[in-house]
Amino acid sequence: MWAFQTPQTIPNPQLPKPFQNPTHISPKPRCCLKLRPSTTRNPSDCNNKNPLIQSLSKQGNLNQAIQVLSQEPNPTQQTYELLILSCSRQNSLSHGVNLHRHLIDDGSDQDPFLATKLINMYSELDSIDNARKVFDKTRERTIYVWNALFRALTLAGHGTEVLDLYRRMNQIGVPSDKFTYTYVLKASVVSVAFVSLLLNGREIHGHILRHGFEGHVHIMTTLLDMYARFGCVSYASRVFEQMPVKNLVSWSAMIACYSKNGKPFEALELFRKMMLENQDLSPNSVTMVSVLQACAALAALEQGKLMHGYILRRGLDSILPVVSAIVTMYARCGNLELGHWVFERMEKRDVVSWNSFISSYGIHGFGRKAIQIFTEMIEQGLSPSPISFVSVLGACSHAGLVDEGKVLFESMVREHKIFPSVEHYACMVDLLGRADRFDEAAKIIDDMRIEPGPKVWGSLLGACRIHCNVELAERASSRLFELEPTNAGNYVLLADIYAEAKMWNEVQRVKMLLEARGLQKIPGRSCIEIKRKIYSFTSVDEFNPHIEQLHALLLKISKEMKGKGYVPDTKVVLYDLDAEEKERIVLGHSEKLAVAFGLINSKKSETIRITKNLRLCEDCHSVTKFISKLANREILVRDVNRFHLFRDGVCSCGDYW
């Protein structure tokens, strides 16, 4: 279609660095640009090889087509286009370079339409340098040529370069079209320069509004997705609400934004709204994966079962990402049996499916079973991915399988040629730190060939919290304060460690740091599903309508527990208060409120299922064990790290969390 438009001619800006000709292409004297559409020659002309070349290209006979090309003195634009497409389909860079030489020889490389096709071809053949060179040598750069390079660079992960070129394009007066905005918005999220690229994204948002493109649903959905990837949920929500037209992709993008940014309530509510307000829209596999992730985040088993039923009715259960999400959902809702049942009935499994299955057993503390599944995956001929090792090493950490974890870590490079990333090192530091093997954990960090980053130091600080290792905690926190100055959780963890060591002056110093930087501790929040409705509780939730009833029950239980040896553990209270006031505070923790609510509102035969956004404190863990025995109830709690199944006064974690 673009071949028949009259493109705008723009003088060439010089790119930041000079480009040479493509590999093995020798420049020859240029002739004038001759546009040769396919209609300029009579197809019945016996000397005209264009129809034969086009036919061979369509049939995939690329070698023969290139040979015949050398016998055709006047290849048409359509002939070149089909040859370029054939090179892409055949994944043949050598033929692509050879074909490019033909275009240079007769000057057809200066046809903006063919230049666009060449850039696309080199992009698909992972030859981004040659794509740049085509752009650099093209004298007439239409918006289509610019867009082709933007797309190629974005797919190759060169987001910053795209934004630099976009500024140059604006400076020389080339007007953007709807495709331009899509590519540059995507470029904003494919680089590590988070803050600067977010600012660029906002700048592009302004361009879109000033040039009247806010009515284009595809552009606005891409803009929404950009904000979502940066974690700017409020901006994404505002874009979504102001969209004059929304399609299924828009709704799905906003649901995914909520689901992936810690707002599962909002994700499920928006899904419900979409179903009620847009009966002509049918959720697709992408929508349902996000919805299942939201159910998993809330441990909303009944909601998850409803979604599973809908997926079966819609016939989406043959799509691998959906089935993998179902397996994960059941596991994270505490029902391993159903997750296992779904996995066993999968007709086809990819590495993502296996990873879901491995991590399912890992978060429940079944480390040896997770290793067994990992081994079975390899025996069935699948190569583990980096995520596979994150899953199985995490499983080893939760189960305290130090030696097994070390063997798996060492096998990454030796047997599978996978070089450890920050995530793998963080797993190993967590594994060793939880086992109180801090010398080995510190050595792993010191020997790393890459920058440890927040994940590794965060793993070390978390392990120091378990074992009250003040010296290493100070080392880890000093690096975290530099890397994540606005993460209040790091300050709270250090203060907890100082409090356990009874270093009250240091506790006060860290609290003053928090206040000086305007940071607040993340409040504990626990959720429970009762009769397909989700209830949320926050610590010391004085405004909850059920609070008086819950407190009365907890006080009654507390007295009964004390008679059986329970002693409140108040070390997590970082304030200089008397013992009674500290006890009142820990009794109001969100998990205890959720457990009490479950005792009042669920049947005795039902398992109480709770999810918490933070690590379980020692007192909540102890109280829940007591309640499971006193009330003869099964209580399943998923904290930020793993599952805890409380039954008859015992926790499945074996007090190792």
Side-chain angles (χ1 to χ4, degrees), residues 35 50 82 88 125 231 250 263 350 358 378 430 634:
L35 293 177
N50 282 290
L82 290 172
S88 297
L125 297 175
S250 313
K263 293 187 176 293
D350 61 4
I358 293 165
I378 295 172
D430 185 64
E634 189 174 274

Side-chain angles (χ1 to χ4, degrees), residues 439-454:
D439 289 343
E440 293 178 66
K443 188 176 187 307
I444 278 191
I445 296 174
D446 292 337
D447 291 346
M448 284 178 65
R449 296 182 179 181
I450 55 178
E451 173 60 37

Side-chain angles (χ1 to χ4, degrees), residues 37 45 133 194 214 271 285 289 320 336 410 440-441 459 465 480 484 514 518 532 555 557 564 571 575 615 626 641:
D45 186 346
K133 292 166 189 173
F194 179 89
E214 65 271 19
F271 176 73
S285 60
V289 166
L320 274 177
L336 261 180
E410 290 166 3
E440 293 178 66
S459 292
R465 160 72 177 80
L480 286 166
E484 298 180 319
L514 264 173
R532 294 181 179 172
L555 282 170
I557 292 172
K564 297 182 180 295
K571 64 185 177 186
Y575 300 96
R615 178 182 182 270
F626 266 104
N641 290 323

Side-chain angles (χ1 to χ4, degrees), residues 343-362:
F343 181 82
E344 289 296 329
R345 279 154 184 76
M346 291 177 71
E347 294 181 4
K348 183 181 177 183
R349 300 170 189 151
D350 61 4
V351 70
V352 176
S353 311
W354 283 96
N355 291 346
S356 298
F357 201 39
I358 293 165
S359 64
S360 296
Y361 278 90

Side-chain angles (χ1 to χ4, degrees), residues 348-420:
K348 183 181 177 183
R349 300 170 189 151
D350 61 4
V351 70
V352 176
S353 311
W354 283 96
N355 291 346
S356 298
F357 201 39
I358 293 165
S359 64
S360 296
Y361 278 90
I363 60 173
H364 281 267
F366 299 114
R368 296 195 185 280
K369 178 66 175 177
I371 294 172
Q372 179 188 328
I373 296 167
F374 177 83
T375 305
E376 184 182 343
M377 176 185 74
I378 295 172
E379 288 173 350
Q380 292 198 12
L382 271 79
S383 298
S385 69
I387 299 297
S388 306
F389 279 100
V390 171
S391 300
V392 74
L393 289 173
C396 291
S397 181
H398 293 313
L401 302 176
V402 178
D403 294 334
E404 291 85 346
K406 290 171 72 174
V407 169
L408 286 163
F409 183 73
E410 290 166 3
S411 75
M412 288 180 63
V413 176
R414 186 180 65 248
E415 297 178 20
H416 303 286
K417 304 298 184 285
I418 296 175
F419 289 89

Side-chain angles (χ1 to χ4, degrees), residues 595-609:
V595 169
F597 188 80
L599 290 172
I600 294 169
N601 293 283
S602 64
K603 297 176 183 176
K604 263 205 135 182
S605 58
E606 294 177 343
T607 299
I608 296 173
R609 301 173 189 274

Side-chain angles (χ1 to χ4, degrees), residues 4 34-41 76-78:
F4 301 103
K34 296 179 286 184
L35 293 177
R36 290 184 296 278
S38 56
T39 55
T40 58
R41 291 188 55 176
T76 65
Q77 186 188 69
Q78 185 180 6

